[in-house]
Amino acid sequence: ESVDKMSLTLGGRTIFNNGQFVLEGDAVEKELSGHMADAQLGEHDDFPKHQKFVEIGVDFGGEGSNVIVLGSDLTKEYVNVNADYRS
């Protein structure tokens, strides 16, 4: 499949469009890095103290179809924190 119609956004900023990456300079790169850093778990936290997230948008450019993508944090820290839960 071609990626010519695909676009990706990160934090509301387009980073890939029309088959190529969109490079907007150092200021945008710092903004996107800040967006990701703002949502990360603190070094000594047992759980996030906020409801922030990294927003990633994917548009495959197709017509007439919908896709739902779910993500999960399966880092070692997340698994350790949740290992004591029983279903």
Side-chain angles (χ1 to χ4, degrees):
E1 291 286 325
S2 173
V3 295
D4 290 343
K5 295 181 180 179
M6 184 177 174
S7 67
L8 300 172
T9 59
L10 179 63
R13 286 276 197 173
T14 300
I15 61 171
F16 186 88
N17 197 26
N18 296 323
Q20 57 187 330
F21 284 96
V22 178
L23 305 174
E24 297 184 56
D26 291 342
V28 173
E29 184 177 334
K30 287 179 183 179
E31 176 187 324
L32 294 173
S33 293
H35 175 70
M36 291 186 290
D38 191 40
Q40 77 182 24
L41 183 64
E43 185 176 339
H44 300 289
D45 297 335
D46 289 333
F47 58 89
K49 296 179 181 180
H50 54 73
Q51 295 296 315
K52 297 176 183 176
F53 55 91
V54 174
E55 177 189 353
I56 301 170
V58 180
D59 183 345
F60 292 102
E63 295 182 23
S65 62
N66 293 314
V67 176
I68 296 174
V69 178
L70 302 175
S72 180
D73 178 359
L74 292 177
T75 59
K76 181 179 179 183
E77 293 83 11
Y78 179 86
V79 173
N80 285 341
V81 166
N82 291 288
D84 292 332
Y85 293 122
R86 304 282 186 251
S87 13

